[in-house]
Amino acid sequence: MRTNLKIKVGILATSLLLMTGGLSSCSDSDFLNLEPYTEGDTNNDYYKDKANLRASVDALSRFVSIEEVTGRGYMWLENASDNLTTGRPQAQAAQIKNFTMDASNGRDWRDNWETMYQVISSANELIKAVDNLGVTGDDKDFILGNAYFYRGLSYLWLAPWHGDDGPNGGIPIITHKTEVKDMDMERPKSVLANYDQIIADMDAAAEHLPLLSQQSESEYGRPWKAAAWGLAARAALYAAQFDQSYYEKVITYCDKIMSLSGQDKRALYPDITKLFTTANNFSSEYIFSFFGSATVHAGPKFHGISGQNGGWARFNTWGYFAPTVELYESFEDGDKRRKNTIAGPGDELTFVDLNVRIGDPSSKEGNELSSDTKLLFVKWLSPYRSAKNAGVEYLPDGNFMTTTLGQVVVRYADVMLMKAEALIWLRGEGNGEAKELLNAIRTRAGLPANSKATKADLKRERRNELAFEFNTPRWMDIMRWGDFQLLEQPLHGFDLAHFAATYDANTGRGELKKVEVWPARSFSPDKNKVFPIPQSTIDKSKHLKQNLGY
């Protein structure tokens, strides 16, 4: 299947520039700050007109274009893992990474909470409107499928970062059945209540959403059944850290996806080196992604936020979030995924027609890396390789750098890894089906099919396969597995000057020497397993309690 650029741009533009009220919400609820997105909105009145409802569905996904959410905002928290350093000095970002932040931290991570509850509110209004207005048939399926999907996704965006099974509990659950007077509520005793709600929402979404084969090309990029099942599996995966019986749900939802046939059948795309390209946005591996534009200010900015700060004067990428040597060394020799994810000393890359070999003494640009680790993201680089792609694959605006390359939320390899994990944790290490799943992923990466399906094998494959993809954070995996010691180790980069001094032009290699770039941190599971709820939200509530220690 080919990407239809004009269609995707149209969908995204609609979702961003949509009419008044498409993002309205119950402004009576002060603690969630659920205010209309545009002045002149009359709250629920907008949802009394059937003609508005279909248009309002597109507005549910408008958070995709908010930089504070799908740009740096989400990644500040993931940056606390061992996969990344901040990339550029920033005091409040360093507080997050060093586990010294407080609830008043001004970094843009805090906007996720308000934004997602606004999406939840809009979804609730749409669900109520379907019954109130007697909407039926295809319109009903379209509205309810999307409303339940984006409501569940919004809770999944927040709950893992802020909720636990005690002592803090979950996050407020506001549905279409919640009275306005009850919205300022106490937290559920466990985040499992949130995961159950997410799974229920994704079940409801799947009942109404089409299969991919039932979508026209103009609808590609919208939620479909497998996207709902994939996110239900992810919610169950996160819940399993507190109750292992949820692993059975993971297997069930993954099997729903794996049993699809015909045009809907999902499979690994054979060539990992070409997977993350616009041409393969809708390959056999596609399940759900966020899409951007090369012609209008729409879509996730993350692809341009990483990389070389200033883009060697070719294009203004921002230089945040540098990969660590710890991640680099996680890849085995011969693993194609490493060069497809990270560029380090000795590696070549092309950026807006500029050829750079990192660490080559003859390459001025290759020895002027802004990254403190001297490693760069390349997983999302493909739109920026050629100047011809300006206005075609990337937006030529260095202040709003979006691309037509999908920002992956769920893909088939992720489904395989979720099922493999569930099988190993439930059925034991060495499980035969888990071996098959892991070895298929390894084979695609150019590695021998020799996985023993141990927990360590699963952790490594998941880290290497899913690095820097949305909603599959390394941070969350470390929390789920209890591998907190990884967060107390220093983080490293490479000494690029040493590499250049020992560089052999015949082989294109030099000596790799590690240097500490981020000192050891002190991690307290009792506090730091969850991040604070933004203090501005707590201040507006009578009943919502802050996470302990913040």
Side-chain angles (χ1 to χ4, degrees):
M1 290 177 283
R2 294 178 301 163
T3 301
N4 189 318
L5 176 64
K6 292 182 180 179
I7 288 170
K8 288 201 303 175
V9 170
I11 291 173
L12 265 295
T14 301
S15 72
L16 292 164
L17 306 175
L18 204 60
M19 49 205 304
T20 311
L23 291 160
S24 69
S25 46
C26 299
S27 55
D28 307 73
S29 176
D30 191 36
F31 96 95
L32 293 178
N33 195 23
L34 299 183
E35 299 172 353
Y37 276 78
T38 52
E39 294 183 4
D41 206 0
T42 54
N43 199 24
N44 294 341
D45 288 348
Y46 184 84
Y47 296 97
K48 293 179 180 178
D49 185 346
K50 283 186 182 182
N52 294 335
L53 300 187
R54 265 192 169 263
S56 297
V57 166
D58 285 329
L60 291 173
S61 65
R62 60 102 197 124
F63 70 88
V64 169
S65 296
I66 298 177
E67 192 271 309
E68 292 81 3
V69 180
T70 56
R72 290 173 299 181
Y74 181 84
M75 292 300 293
W76 289 127
L77 304 186
E78 168 67 346
N79 186 47
S81 79
D82 58 347
N83 271 4
L84 301 167
T85 65
T86 305
R88 293 176 60 181
Q90 214 290 330
Q92 290 179 323
Q95 292 171 4
I96 298 173
K97 186 164 187 63
N98 290 333
F99 316 124
T100 60
M101 72 182 295
D102 60 39
S104 297
N105 184 285
R107 201 59 266 176
D108 38 18
W109 68 276
R110 62 184 178 175
D111 295 329
N112 283 266
W113 183 279
E114 178 181 338
T115 297
M116 289 305 166
Y117 271 107
Q118 288 168 332
V119 176
I120 289 165
S121 178
S122 295
N124 288 338
E125 294 301 327
L126 282 167
I127 294 168
K128 288 190 292 185
V130 165
D131 286 337
N132 292 341
L133 299 179
V135 180
T136 60
D138 291 343
D139 285 340
K140 179 178 180 179
D141 285 335
F142 178 76
I143 294 163
L144 290 182
N146 280 271
Y148 281 114
F149 180 86
Y150 280 107
R151 188 172 79 180
L153 175 59
S154 297
Y155 281 119
L156 188 57
W157 203 266
L158 295 177
W161 302 102
H162 301 290
D164 59 26
D165 193 35
N168 296 298
I171 65 173
I173 299 176
I174 312 294
T175 74
H176 54 289
K177 297 179 181 180
T178 306
E179 298 289 338
V180 171
K181 64 181 177 63
D182 298 324
M183 287 185 179
D184 186 355
M185 63 176 66
E186 294 185 357
R187 300 169 64 170
K189 292 183 179 180
S190 172
V191 75
L192 289 174
N194 293 111
Y195 292 129
D196 288 341
Q197 180 65 50
I198 294 164
I199 292 169
D201 278 352
M202 291 304 168
D203 281 340
E207 287 182 14
H208 295 282
L209 290 171
L211 290 164
L212 189 66
S213 60
Q214 296 169 325
Q215 290 183 327
S216 65
E217 189 174 350
S218 65
E219 296 173 309
Y220 289 167
R222 293 190 185 276
W224 61 297
K225 288 185 186 295
W229 294 332
L231 292 179
R234 185 167 297 154
L237 186 76
Y238 289 173
Q241 66 184 295
F242 306 115
D243 180 348
Q244 284 209 340
S245 68
Y246 279 86
Y247 275 129
E248 294 289 1
K249 293 181 181 289
V250 174
I251 294 171
T252 296
Y253 286 110
C254 290
D255 282 344
K256 284 178 178 286
I257 296 171
M258 291 179 172
S259 65
L260 291 170
S261 60
Q263 185 182 344
D264 301 306
K265 182 176 176 58
R266 303 290 88 192
L268 292 178
Y269 182 75
D271 189 347
I272 189 67
T273 67
K274 296 180 180 178
L275 177 60
F276 302 110
T277 59
T278 297
N280 287 316
N281 274 339
F282 298 109
S283 74
S284 60
E285 197 154 340
Y286 165 78
I287 294 180
F288 190 68
S289 301
F290 297 146
F291 292 102
S293 169
T295 58
V296 297
H297 291 72
K301 291 185 183 180
F302 180 67
H303 294 167
I305 283 170
S306 56
Q308 172 75 1
N309 185 21
W312 296 287
R314 295 296 179 107
F315 181 74
N316 185 35
T317 44
W318 290 5
Y320 286 100
F321 310 119
T324 60
V325 167
E326 282 67 28
L327 174 60
Y328 184 95
E329 291 182 336
S330 176
F331 293 95
E332 299 169 56
D333 290 341
D335 191 333
K336 295 178 182 178
R337 292 173 298 188
R338 183 180 68 76
K339 287 189 177 182
N340 202 49
T341 305
I342 302 169
D347 293 332
E348 294 182 84
L349 61 89
T350 302
F351 182 81
V352 192
D353 297 329
L354 175 68
N355 297 317
V356 176
R357 182 186 283 275
I358 298 175
D360 182 345
S362 66
S363 171
K364 178 175 179 286
E365 294 83 4
N367 286 277
E368 294 181 348
L369 299 193
S370 60
S371 162
D372 56 351
T373 64
K374 307 310 175 188
L375 294 163
L376 295 174
F377 283 96
V378 292
K379 196 167 192 174
W380 316 117
L381 186 64
S382 66
Y384 295 109
R385 294 193 186 279
S386 172
K388 294 179 181 179
N389 290 340
V392 178
E393 290 197 30
Y394 71 87
L395 184 72
D397 181 347
N399 295 315
F400 201 109
M401 65 294 272
T402 57
T403 76
T404 59
L405 174 61
Q407 177 61 66
V408 177
V409 178
V410 189
R411 59 185 173 95
Y412 192 67
D414 180 16
V415 173
M416 296 170 69
L417 286 164
M418 287 193 288
K419 183 174 182 180
E421 178 176 339
L423 290 168
I424 292 169
W425 264 253
L426 279 179
R427 315 282 194 256
E429 294 184 313
N431 176 270
E433 186 177 1
K435 282 184 181 180
E436 292 179 5
L437 293 169
L438 295 179
N439 281 329
I441 289 172
R442 287 177 59 80
T443 300
R444 198 259 299 264
L447 296 172
N450 58 4
S451 175
K452 295 180 174 58
T454 63
K455 290 183 177 181
D457 289 342
L458 183 283
K459 291 177 181 181
R460 185 174 190 173
E461 294 303 329
R462 185 171 173 86
R463 182 182 194 181
N464 297 346
E465 183 71 27
L466 302 178
F468 317 134
E469 297 178 25
F470 267 102
N471 227 232
T472 56
R474 166 72 172 168
W475 168 269
M476 207 59 61
D477 288 345
I478 291 174
M479 296 301 102
R480 295 190 301 109
W481 298 326
D483 293 336
F484 309 132
Q485 74 283 355
L486 297 174
L487 301 175
E488 296 193 314
Q489 308 302 315
L491 298 176
H492 296 84
F494 285 124
D495 184 335
L496 198 59
H498 180 77
F499 181 88
T502 59
Y503 184 80
D504 183 339
N506 293 321
T507 63
R509 304 302 301 176
E511 292 181 6
L512 292 176
K513 179 182 178 181
K514 292 193 293 186
V515 292
E516 181 179 313
V517 297
W518 205 278
R521 300 170 287 168
S522 178
F523 179 85
S524 172
D526 291 340
K527 173 185 176 181
N528 301 128
K529 280 188 70 175
V530 293
F531 290 93
I533 296 170
Q535 190 61 42
S536 57
T537 297
I538 296 293
D539 292 342
K540 296 171 185 175
S541 171
K542 294 179 180 179
H543 303 294
L544 185 65
K545 292 182 179 179
Q546 182 60 271
N547 285 328
L548 296 181
Y550 296 103

